[in-house]
Amino acid sequence: MRNPASPGNPLSSQKKNGPEKKLPEGFFGSPWQLLLQVLVALLLVWLWQESVQRTTVTTIPYSAFLDKLAKKEIVECTITPEEIQGKMVAPAPAKKEGETKKAETTALFRTVRVEDPNLVAQLQSAHTTYSSVRPSLLSQLIFSWILPIGIFFLIWVGLSRWMTRGAGYSLLNVGKSRARLVAEEGTGVSFEDVAGCQEAKYELQEVVDFLKSPDRYRALGAKIPKGVLLIGPPGTGKTLLARAVAGEAHVAFFSLSGSEFVEMFVGVGASRVRDLFAQAKGRAPCIIFIDELDAIGRQRGVRIAMGHDEQEQTLNQLLVEMDGFDPNEGIILLAATNRPDILDRALMRPGRFDRHVLVDLPDAQGREAILKVHARGKPLASDANLQDIAHATAGMSGADLANLMNEAALLAARRKAHLVEQADLLEALEKVVAGPERRSLQLAEEEKRRVAYHEVGHALVAAATPGADPVRKVSIIPRGRGALGYTLQLPPAQQYLFTRTQLLAKIRCAMGGRAAEEIIFGEVSTGAENDLEVGTTLARQMVCLYGMSESVGLAHLIPSRPGLTEVPGVDGHAEYSGETARLVDLEVQRILEKAYGDAKAILQKERKTLEEVTAELLKKETLDAAAFLALLPESAKQPLAAPQ
Ligand code: ADP
Ligand code: ZN
Ligand code: MG
């Protein structure tokens, strides 16, 4: 049962690349501010220097200097190309009474140099200590070159940032590749870290071999594929595999996500592609990995609202670059996508991404292997049975399983235990499937009763329906976003096909909750919304996609869906007549009503069991498979009738 106030399917885990890195602002906030700061600083330094010199150093004309030199009043001096500085006998200050006369005071002086070939001779004859300094090369460099250039650079950076603040990045960076260069030794990921996709690894092993010893391939004249496209649903380890290839071959790994190419300005993406390949050529052998290729590889000519030209140009540039390099240079292009259907056909042509590697959801064996990979470093108790968990996680991706293992370790840590036990794994499984428990959510007694009847309704219908997935757990502990209680049904094994009976069984089970509510309370509630949604979707798919309705027939009917407009030939209109549409609606209605009637019949027949199991559930809050089955009388396990 779900709380309609908070929609969202807790099963769907969306993974997206992190937000675009924002350059730190603030320091360069406004160039005018910066300019002002620099100017004020310069002014202050200048003023300070001036005032210090004014008060302590007397500037005298050159003639006065010569005069004093002749009078031997110059004690010592330093000669620089521009000026002469030094100590001279101080001009006697106006004496006041009572002040003792000092024999000799010196004062600092400076004078601007005049071209004077006799200077040295005069200094000699006056017996003055004199020396000359050559301005150090470094300070000369700093003052006459680096400082001014630095100041102008800062001003420029400030200005350009300010001007492009709206655009989100600096003009300086426009077109610069943001490829992240991973250290020479590759990525540190090996094939051992990837489990459950033997075929994919087998295919990619060839790429690794080639990168390791390209000469062997060259000698045989063998051509290695230029581009390898990893295809598979999200979270199946495509990115991981690409990194593993680089790690196994110990080569540099240039990784970029498709969305990083597509920018606001037309042409930026294209120049990024150019830049990326140029960089990669300098680092061969290496791997260029383009993640989420569909972001740029979308079919051309398909109008999407914005960034269309940009995307097209980027794609064209990618095609050009792909044609322009020879894989024997040691560059292999890897890409990943979960939407191969929308990729431009030119990308798939021979000589481009012509090698396709399928990375599918793992089967039970694969899931166990993945669980084992992620159990590394997590000490398991002797009762932990990964095989069991693998069987219960049909349909989960590698990312889901990695998440599950981590959750289990977290739960064990929360118990302050040293080992991860089977109970932790099962708890983590539920958490991943249905969201975390929300024990703090307090339901009123009456609502709790309703939730309990609703869930037991699902469970009893499942128990009495052939083809339904067995009940693993019934619970009235609220979980995740909006689930007030839930009935966990898991298939005994991985399923790739569903028969008509199985689909109808699913719909019937979904109706069980509402049917129980109606029987017990004489009135339905909003709690069945999600069940109705599941049922309706399944029924519609049966009718429209699987040809499982006699009155509609075998036609595969693509309903109008806004997201499907990218498919050529389908432009927003359903490809069938209004008459068929009506037939579909009626048929969906009929299936749902039949399922609801069946569910109600089962529960009415087993009303006593419904009461008993619900009482037990209210007491215990959760019933696992064994506890639930123990409560059922033989009659409740008898199938009423196979759904039709
Ligand atoms: P994709 O790129 O296909 O969406 P990722 O490669 O990003 O998926 O996978 C995300 C995470 O899930 C990985 O970092 C890894 O921890 C885990 N994972 C996914 N598939 C596997 C697998 N086959 N073996 C081991 N770990 C996996
Ligand atoms: Zn329900
Ligand atoms: Mg990925």
Side-chain angles (χ1 to χ4, degrees), residues 307-486:
H308 170 68
D309 280 352
E310 164 61 358
Q311 188 242 322
E312 192 154 299
Q313 279 202 17
T314 309
L315 174 56
N316 286 340
Q317 186 64 41
L318 180 64
L319 296 176
V320 168
E321 293 288 347
M322 282 196 80
D323 287 342
F325 80 88
D326 182 0
N328 286 349
E329 286 171 29
I331 302 175
I332 299 278
L333 197 55
L334 294 184
T337 182
N338 49 14
R339 299 287 314 270
D341 48 319
I342 62 164
L343 287 185
D344 197 282
R345 271 185 294 274
L347 267 175
M348 312 283 220
R349 230 193 45 195
R352 296 198 180 128
F353 286 109
D354 49 0
R355 180 76 64 100
H356 298 174
V357 173
L358 200 66
V359 190
D360 215 342
L361 288 174
D363 55 12
Q365 228 178 338
R367 287 195 299 275
E368 192 181 339
I370 294 174
L371 285 170
K372 275 194 186 132
V373 165
H374 289 279
R376 271 191 225 147
K378 299 185 179 78
L380 294 180
S382 56
D383 73 334
N385 188 342
L386 293 183
Q387 195 176 8
D388 227 33
I389 302 294
H391 276 296
T393 45
M396 281 200 191
S397 68
D400 293 331
L401 295 169
N403 185 18
L404 190 155
M405 274 319 284
N406 189 47
E407 285 293 344
L410 287 175
L411 287 168
R414 201 177 298 165
R415 286 193 299 121
K416 299 203 165 50
H418 298 293
L419 299 172
V420 180
E421 291 177 3
Q422 181 75 352
D424 297 318
L425 291 167
L426 288 171
E427 172 72 25
L429 168 62
E430 276 179 57
K431 201 169 165 184
V432 172
V433 171
E437 281 185 1
R438 289 212 337 245
R439 284 185 183 269
S440 61
L441 188 75
Q442 288 294 332
L443 293 181
E445 215 43 52
E446 187 58 23
E447 286 197 329
K448 209 163 164 183
R449 255 169 48 92
R450 190 180 270 276
V451 173
Y453 276 110
H454 178 109
E455 298 307 338
V456 175
H458 284 306
L460 285 183
V461 171
T465 302
D469 293 335
V471 175
R472 292 254 175 172
K473 187 162 186 175
V474 191
S475 164
I476 51 167
I477 298 169
R479 264 185 190 277
R481 290 174 298 150
L484 299 177
Y486 65 97

Side-chain angles (χ1 to χ4, degrees), residues 15 17 233-240 289 291-292 336-338:
K15 224 162 50 73
N17 278 325
T236 44
K238 299 181 295 297
T239 309
L240 191 67
F289 177 56
D291 212 346
E292 324 285 348
T337 182
N338 49 14

